[in-house]
Amino acid sequence: MSNESLTKSMTGGAAETGENVLEVKNLVVHYVLKKETVEAVNDVSFTLKSGRSLGLVGETGAGKTTTALAIMNLVPNPPGVIKSGTVNVCGHEMLKLKPIELAKIRGADISMIFQDPMTSLNPVMTVGNQIAESVKLHEDCSHSQAFDRAVEMLELVGIPGARASEYPHEFSGGMQQRVVIAIALACNPRVLIADEPTTALDVTIQAQVLGMMSELKTKMNTALLMITHDLGVVAKMCDEVAVMYAGRIVEKGTLEDVFNNTMHPYTEGLFNSLPKIDNRDTELKPIPGLMADPTKLPVGCSFAPRCSYATDACRARRPEDRYVSDTHMVVCTAYEDPAFHIEGWQ
Amino acid sequence: MDSHFLEVRNLKKYFKRTRGNVHAVDGVNFTIDKGKTLGVVGESGCGKSTLGRCVLRLIEPTDGEVLYEGRDICKLNKRELKDLRKEMQIIFQDPFSSLNPRKTVLDLIAEPIKFNKLIPNASKADIENRVLELMETVGIAERLINTYPHELDGGRRQRIGIARALSLNPKFIVCDEPVSALDVSIQAQILNLLKKLQKELGLTYIFITHDLSVVNYFSNDIMVMYLGHVVEMAPAAELFRNPMHPYTKALLSAILLPKVNGNPERIQLRGEVTSPIDPPDECRFAKRCNYLCKACSAGTPPLLEVEPNHLVACHCIKPGMNILQEQPHLISGR
């Protein structure tokens, strides 16, 4: 395939901005163990339009990665059980398809970049062949055509095409992550899930990889689901933000909604925990206590035991989704009192 | 000799490899005063952890002097070193692999106390009391005294690491990425704890990290390392206000602020980190530098005091003269 036809096939297949390419509704995923049940994802819903990017933010154990695996229908079973909910990717019901049908969609309509590039590449296969493998699976082409495409993809992510015949260990961490991105983008997916794509990388390399990802996103009009714990990455990359805590989305909205008009006490706590670069003297205000144990979630709001605003009502029952504007949703019982507001962060 | 608490002179550590020597730390000089914190930043592989270990002589430096309260610890014999080690401790990055999984919290914290015979003729109860005292200092609940590390989360494990370091009443602690493995809400708890302990016990820290916002919050002085060399050193506020070295500039511009439109264009560096194996005698950053000038290959640039307390190692920046700003035409923009 020539460079021209490559670009054509990339833009030709792209969806128009504004079309829903990913819809997750009332997703519930549990890990059923012998003695206990880990309630990893509890009623998560969101949609993602093509060309847009959503940041899924939360700490370790919030259920971010499980959500992503459920979208791909890759939750390890056992012990993982998708209890209920639907996932619609470009019109396909992911949770109802047979494995052979799923294989056609994964990689073509939706792909995923995993956190650790070292473990997601095959160490005994050249990077060119690894990219070509994914192309051959989804497109009717010969090996040499697929390999040519692989070389083009490598150049797209800023690696000289001549290095296609090298093995993963010959590349640095940042380059390995770019190879993973090249594999994920090789078939021009309409949805890309990136699970902590830069966590393992140094800041200057992170800057390169993120810059490249947003460039590719614009070029191919891909919808991006960015899973991260880094609010800085979200601010740079995302149009919308969903904050997860103990398996639920506790606040969701546009970047401006969540960052400039923070409403949920947990989101406020996250911002207050970060050292401020422009003001050395602000004291850090950590969130007291620890992440809720997902095997013993409280009856009421999961965040209530750590929340300084919590009332008896918070502890007594599960908070409901509350829309404060067309785009901004917050899951917090305290807002039943119209006068309630958080202290705000500096 | 002088009043510095710790003075490091021309410290070098080379690791022998079949292909040559890895210059992990290559001629590093700095001083720290009592009760202060020196932040060391740099990317993976720049030698910051090796530096931290060399300063404690946990690995033997190839060359150089480490003067701790005026005594060169590189010349001490085993027994003298063992005595001195009580005063100098380290907190490791990974609270998951740095604790023995078969020991309880009590055993873990008691181990250094017993080993160094800190309490003469200690009974079990004496040691337990001291452990409980330390647990209170670092904020671990008393009821957890008989638990094993795997039962605890990362934040609590890191607190055990801190309690172990504190158990010997140290004066000086090397914190090697102590919060990198922790979630932000827990990270803030540990940072506040370390700051509180410094204030109460008058501790001196070397704080090694790759997270610039953390180091800015935590340190008095910041040292930026690149491939074993110090490229810039200045008081924290000064460094963030006026970064001079092209690498520091790129590093600072790569910080992502959690703010809407808070992240203007970044300075992008080209290429990848060069190999630290027998690097040529030139500026080690030259291959990635955006301002390559003719002088860059003319030997390793010395670390000069360009402004009071602000040291920079760049051929283009000398006291009273900053070619990067004044004569950009001399620079071949890549």
Side-chain angles (χ1 to χ4, degrees):
Chain A
M1 219 182 289
S2 73
N3 217 342
E4 214 169 90
S5 66
L6 174 80
T7 332
K8 208 180 277 173
S9 79
M10 278 172 171
T11 45
E16 276 182 42
T17 314
E19 184 191 335
N20 274 351
V21 286
L22 173 62
E23 282 177 19
V24 178
K25 267 191 201 140
N26 306 102
L27 186 68
V28 178
V29 187
H30 289 176
Y31 292 103
V32 182
L33 308 173
K34 263 185 198 154
K35 288 181 193 159
E36 54 199 13
T37 301
V38 178
E39 299 177 16
V41 177
N42 305 304
D43 197 3
V44 162
S45 306
F46 60 86
T47 57
L48 184 57
K49 291 181 166 57
S50 60
R52 301 279 285 176
S53 52
L54 171 71
L56 198 56
V57 188
E59 296 178 276
T60 317
K64 310 181 297 281
T65 302
T66 305
T67 306
L69 291 176
I71 293 170
M72 300 287 283
N73 200 351
L74 280 174
V75 175
N77 180 6
V81 182
I82 298 175
K83 289 274 191 187
S84 61
T86 57
V87 175
N88 191 309
V89 175
C90 306
H92 308 286
E93 284 295 333
M94 293 296 276
L95 304 183
K96 293 196 181 121
L97 295 181
K98 295 190 191 100
I100 190 159
E101 295 166 321
L102 280 170
K104 282 185 193 149
I105 295 166
R106 291 187 198 130
D109 285 322
I110 182 166
S111 30
M112 182 160 172
I113 300 169
F114 294 91
Q115 177 167 1
D116 188 354
M118 308 284 267
T119 52
S120 45
L121 289 174
N122 184 342
V124 294
M125 220 172 145
T126 64
V127 297
N129 281 337
Q130 290 187 56
I131 304 172
E133 184 186 32
S134 136
V135 177
K136 272 198 290 184
L137 273 174
H138 296 291
E139 279 167 34
D140 186 22
C141 62
S142 71
H143 179 80
S144 68
Q145 280 173 326
F147 197 83
D148 288 347
R149 174 71 162 272
V151 172
E152 282 162 19
M153 287 311 297
L154 276 180
E155 278 174 357
L156 198 66
V157 297
I159 297 173
R163 298 192 65 180
S165 54
E166 289 181 20
Y167 290 89
H169 75 268
E170 297 175 79
F171 293 87
S172 69
M175 289 175 119
Q176 287 177 352
Q177 190 59 290
R178 278 185 259 171
V179 172
V180 174
I181 294 172
I183 295 175
L185 292 175
C187 293
N188 187 23
R190 304 218 281 172
V191 185
L192 178 64
I193 304 177
D195 187 3
E196 309 256 11
T198 56
T199 306
L201 307 177
D202 280 319
V203 275
T204 56
I205 310 291
Q206 166 176 299
Q208 288 175 3
V209 171
L210 289 181
M212 195 198 76
M213 281 179 71
S214 39
E215 205 177 287
L216 293 176
K217 193 189 94 192
T218 335
K219 219 185 263 176
M220 303 193 192
N221 211 12
T222 313
L224 176 68
L225 177 64
M226 183 80 150
I227 297 175
T228 180
H229 65 267
D230 189 332
L231 291 164
V233 171
V234 172
K236 174 82 186 170
M237 298 290 290
C238 300
D239 313 311
E240 292 157 51
V241 190
V243 182
M244 271 188 100
Y245 186 81
R248 263 192 105 174
I249 292 178
V250 294
E251 183 163 8
K252 188 171 73 179
T254 62
L255 190 65
E256 285 79 10
D257 286 338
V258 177
F259 278 55
N260 293 347
N261 183 22
T262 308
M263 294 193 78
H264 198 280
Y266 176 63
T267 319
E268 181 195 31
L270 279 183
F271 280 117
N272 282 340
S273 304
L274 296 172
K276 310 282 171 298
I277 208 96
D278 35 13
N279 187 356
R280 277 164 49 81
D281 303 322
T282 11
E283 205 193 325
L284 298 185
K285 282 188 234 145
I287 305 173
L290 302 167
M291 189 85 183
D293 181 349
T295 62
K296 299 183 207 94
L297 289 182
V299 190
C301 171
S302 306
F303 186 61
R306 299 175 76 184
C307 180
S308 54
Y309 308 102
T311 60
D312 287 340
C314 296
R315 286 179 273 267
R317 67 193 149 80
R318 209 177 128 88
E320 284 160 17
D321 296 1
R322 173 182 301 271
Y323 275 88
V324 291
S325 74
D326 287 349
T327 51
H328 197 172
M329 183 197 80
V330 59
V331 182
C332 180
T333 309
Y335 283 97
E336 282 174 6
D337 173 6
F340 176 77
H341 63 89
I342 55 169
E343 281 166 26
W345 56 289
Q346 309 83 12
Chain B
M1 197 162 57
D2 51 34
S3 60
H4 294 301
F5 178 74
L6 185 83
E7 180 166 5
V8 168
R9 288 186 193 159
N10 198 23
L11 192 70
K12 285 182 187 167
K13 177 67 198 178
Y14 297 164
F15 292 103
K16 272 211 175 99
R17 287 287 175 275
T18 43
R19 282 185 291 164
N21 287 330
V22 177
H23 294 222
V25 175
D26 207 355
V28 169
N29 297 286
F30 63 86
T31 59
I32 315 176
D33 289 328
K34 195 164 173 49
K36 301 285 187 208
T37 303
L38 174 74
V40 181
V41 286
E43 295 177 278
S44 28
C46 74
K48 51 193 194 307
S49 289
T50 308
L51 175 74
R53 283 165 171 72
C54 278
V55 165
L56 298 180
R57 214 176 143 192
L58 289 175
I59 44 182
E60 208 64 42
T62 309
D63 193 17
E65 291 175 341
V66 179
L67 301 173
Y68 174 85
E69 292 186 317
R71 291 163 78 191
D72 186 354
I73 65 157
C74 299
K75 296 204 177 81
L76 298 181
N77 64 31
K78 243 185 172 173
R79 180 175 294 168
E80 290 169 328
L81 191 64
K82 191 187 157 192
D83 278 345
L84 199 64
R85 281 265 167 79
K86 289 179 204 162
E87 295 184 11
M88 19 193 355
Q89 288 293 312
I90 183 163
I91 297 169
F92 293 100
Q93 169 170 9
D94 185 358
F96 297 86
S97 62
S98 56
L99 298 176
N100 185 337
R102 302 185 59 177
K103 289 195 168 178
T104 63
V105 173
L106 173 65
D107 297 335
L108 285 166
I109 303 178
E111 191 180 22
I113 303 172
K114 288 181 187 161
F115 180 80
N116 286 292
K117 299 195 178 66
L118 220 63
I119 312 173
N121 308 319
S123 68
K124 257 192 173 162
D126 289 342
I127 290 180
E128 195 170 322
N129 282 336
R130 173 73 181 139
V131 169
L132 285 171
E133 200 180 300
L134 285 162
M135 283 171 70
E136 199 190 325
T137 315
V138 298
I140 310 174
E142 207 181 302
R143 66 186 161 83
L144 297 172
I145 191 160
N146 287 320
T147 52
Y148 288 91
H150 75 266
E151 299 174 74
L152 304 173
D153 59 280
R156 287 209 181 102
R157 283 188 234 197
Q158 196 55 291
R159 284 173 199 263
I160 298 176
I162 297 172
R164 275 165 65 89
L166 289 179
S167 63
L168 305 174
N169 304 317
K171 293 182 187 165
F172 171 56
I173 300 182
V174 173
C175 308
D176 188 359
E177 307 251 18
V179 294
S180 306
L182 307 175
D183 275 317
V184 272
S185 71
I186 308 300
Q187 175 177 317
Q189 293 177 3
I190 299 292
L191 287 175
N192 278 353
L193 171 67
L194 288 171
K195 229 176 181 175
K196 186 187 102 189
L197 292 171
Q198 178 166 46
K199 216 184 225 172
E200 285 170 4
L201 308 172
L203 298 171
T204 308
Y205 289 137
I206 288 187
F207 196 89
I208 299 169
T209 182
H210 65 271
D211 187 334
L212 289 145
S213 44
V214 168
V215 83
N216 178 40
Y217 171 74
F218 210 82
S219 318
N220 301 96
D221 292 305
I222 297 179
M223 182 162 104
V224 183
M225 286 185 76
Y226 189 83
L227 277 184
H229 282 163
V230 177
V231 295
E232 187 158 3
M233 184 151 61
E238 163 72 10
L239 189 88
F240 276 76
R241 190 186 61 78
N242 178 26
M244 291 201 214
H245 195 281
Y247 178 63
T248 316
K249 283 185 178 172
L251 211 54
L252 294 188
S253 88
I255 302 176
L256 291 171
L257 296 179
K259 275 184 192 162
V260 180
N261 301 325
N263 301 298
E265 270 313 288
R266 292 181 239 178
I267 304 170
Q268 293 250 350
L269 291 178
R270 296 177 166 254
E272 309 278 328
V273 182
T274 25
S275 162
I277 296 174
D278 291 325
D281 184 28
E282 57 175 31
C283 173
R284 289 190 186 174
F285 185 60
K287 287 199 179 102
R288 296 181 76 194
C289 189
N290 290 325
Y291 312 86
L292 198 66
C293 72
K294 279 174 197 152
C296 293
S297 50
T300 306
L303 191 64
L304 300 174
E305 189 162 357
V306 176
E307 276 169 25
N309 291 321
H310 194 149
L311 287 75
V312 184
C314 176
H315 284 302
C316 297
I317 304 168
K318 300 215 162 66
M321 181 196 83
N322 189 339
I323 300 184
L324 301 187
Q325 280 161 9
E326 291 156 15
Q327 292 166 293
H329 62 276
L330 288 179
I331 300 152
S332 74
R334 283 203 215 172

